[in-house]
Amino acid sequence: MKILVIGMCGNSLFYQKETGTLLKEEPGGKGYNQAVAIAKLGGCVSFIGAIGKDESGNSCKEYLEKIGVNNLLIEKEETTTYATINVDQDGNNFIDVFNGAKMSFDDLDYIKDEIIKHDIILLQNEIDVLLNKNIIEFAFSNNKYIIVNPAPVATWVYDYLDKIDLVTPNEEEARYLFNLENIDVYCFGTYLLGKYKNKILVTLGDKGCLFVNKENYQYFDSLKVNTVDTTGAGDMMNAALAYCISKNISFDKAIILGTHACSYSVQRKFVLDSYPQMEELTKYIQKIKKH
C-alpha cells in the first residue's frame, strides 16, 4: 500500500542547550521526519509540504530524493520554515518553530488529487487547521486509512475521531485530548476502553506506550537504553506504524517494531541520521534478543 504524508517541512538547527553551540543543520518537521523514516524502513511513501524558493527549500527536496521519498513539495514565495532545537545534556529537546512557507486552502485540490493515488494518509497538527479538517473529510469519504499524530495538540482533533482510524498522541497530548488530566497513566487504558471506535496509540516516553481498540488495551514496555537525543522519536513511532499498516503487519508486531526503532533512534544524535534502515533495525533487534 502507498503512504502519503502531509505536513510541515523546513530547516532544523540543533544547538547544545547549555552552551548555545550550533551542532547541526538538516531538513525537518514532523511530517518530513515521518516520511523519511518510512522510506528508510522500506515503505512506499510520498510527502506533501511547502517550501520557499531558497537554499533551505532545495535541501528539503534533495534529501527526500536521496532517501527515496516521492517528492510532492509545493513551492511558495515565502522563505522556508525553520526551527531551533535545543538539546540538553540528558538528551531532552526544546523546540521553537519560526513559520515561513506553508500550505494553504488553495492547495487542497492538488492534495486531493494525491490522496486518491494513495492508501494511507498520515497527518500531524503542524499545518493549517481548516486544511487538515478538509483533508480528513476527503480521505474519509474516499475510504483511505487515516492516521493523525495530534502534535501540537488541539481540541478540533476530538471532533474528528470518528473519521480517524488511528490517533497517536503522546502522554501530554492524550491527557488534553481525552480529558485525562487527573488520571494516572496506568489507568489510561481502563478509562479509554470502549469509548472510541478508532484505535489509539499513546506514546509514554520511557514508560513505553499504550494501545487501545474497541475490545481491549495493552501496555508495551520501552527498552532501557542510554538516551542521547529524543528529538524525532515520536515521528519514528508514527513512521513504523504507518509502514507496518501498509504491509498488513499486526498492531502488536508494529508496536514492537516501533519500540525498537525508537530505542535505536534515541541513542543517536539529531534526527534524520538516527532513523534506521530496515537492515540496520533487523540487526539491532537480533542483537537485543541475544541478550
Side-chain angles (χ1 to χ4, degrees):
M1 290 191 281
K2 296 179 180 179
I3 304 165
L4 176 62
V5 185
I6 307 168
M8 188 182 76
C9 68
N11 199 28
S12 296
L13 304 169
F14 290 82
Y15 292 89
Q16 179 63 47
K17 186 174 186 294
E18 288 79 7
T19 64
T21 304
L22 178 63
L23 303 173
K24 188 177 178 65
E25 185 174 347
E26 67 179 11
K30 294 191 70 63
Y32 191 97
N33 296 343
Q34 291 166 6
V36 167
I38 292 167
K40 282 194 162 189
L41 291 175
C44 180
V45 58
S46 303
F47 178 71
I48 299 180
I51 55 170
K53 299 174 182 177
D54 50 26
E55 186 177 342
S56 294
N58 287 334
S59 295
C60 291
K61 285 193 292 187
E62 289 169 3
Y63 192 88
L64 288 182
E65 290 161 1
K66 169 188 170 184
I67 214 72
V69 177
N70 183 26
N71 164 24
L72 300 174
L73 292 170
I74 303 167
E75 288 191 343
K76 300 286 185 177
E77 294 303 320
E78 298 87 355
T79 58
T80 302
T81 292
Y82 75 95
T84 58
I85 304 168
N86 289 283
V87 183
D88 68 17
Q89 59 188 3
D90 297 318
N92 301 305
N93 62 78
F94 307 86
I95 302 174
D96 292 302
V97 177
F98 301 86
N99 289 313
K102 58 183 178 181
M103 291 180 289
S104 69
F105 201 72
D106 292 338
D107 299 312
L108 185 58
D109 286 343
Y110 171 73
I111 294 169
K112 285 181 176 180
D113 288 344
E114 294 303 329
I115 288 172
I116 292 295
K117 301 172 188 175
H118 294 78
D119 307 291
I120 298 166
I121 312 302
L122 174 54
L123 302 167
Q124 319 76 37
N125 206 23
E126 290 187 327
I127 64 172
D128 180 80
V129 172
L130 183 60
L131 189 58
N132 248 342
K133 289 179 178 180
N134 277 270
I135 289 168
I136 291 172
E137 293 278 8
F138 183 78
F140 178 77
S141 67
N142 284 274
N143 299 311
K144 304 301 180 180
Y145 193 102
I146 303 169
I147 306 170
V148 175
N149 175 214
V153 70
T155 53
W156 72 264
V157 176
Y158 188 88
D159 297 328
Y160 282 76
L161 286 176
D162 62 339
K163 293 180 170 65
I164 298 169
D165 295 280
L166 172 64
V167 60
T168 60
N170 63 21
E171 179 181 343
E172 181 181 342
E173 292 154 0
R175 287 188 183 280
Y176 184 86
L177 194 59
F178 300 115
N179 194 26
L180 302 171
E181 293 297 332
N182 299 311
I183 296 175
D184 184 270
V185 68
Y186 292 108
C187 296
F188 279 14
T190 302
Y191 183 86
L192 294 171
L193 184 62
K195 286 188 169 64
Y196 307 98
K197 73 174 188 178
N198 54 332
K199 296 178 175 66
I200 302 168
L201 191 286
V202 184
T203 55
L204 302 169
D206 61 5
K207 295 186 288 291
C209 61
L210 164 67
F211 178 64
V212 184
N213 60 23
K214 288 186 293 185
E215 292 81 29
N216 52 51
Y217 67 87
Q218 183 176 353
Y219 284 89
F220 291 79
D221 291 332
S222 64
L223 297 173
K224 306 308 176 187
V225 297
N226 294 320
T227 299
V228 173
D229 186 350
T230 60
T231 314
D235 298 331
M236 181 71 253
M237 176 60 85
N238 279 274
L241 293 172
Y243 167 79
C244 288
I245 292 166
S246 77
K247 300 297 183 183
N248 294 311
I249 297 171
S250 71
F251 268 93
D252 284 3
K253 291 181 179 178
I255 293 166
I256 292 169
L257 183 79
T259 298
H260 282 82
C262 288
S263 73
Y264 181 100
S265 172
V266 300
Q267 293 178 76
R268 289 154 178 81
K269 290 183 178 180
F270 315 120
V271 178
L272 302 183
D273 289 344
S274 77
Y275 294 153
Q277 302 279 354
M278 182 56 83
E279 183 180 354
E280 295 171 320
L281 183 57
T282 301
K283 289 179 180 178
Y284 176 70
I285 293 171
Q286 290 172 345
K287 182 179 178 180
I288 289 175
K289 286 180 177 179
K290 289 179 181 177
H291 292 80

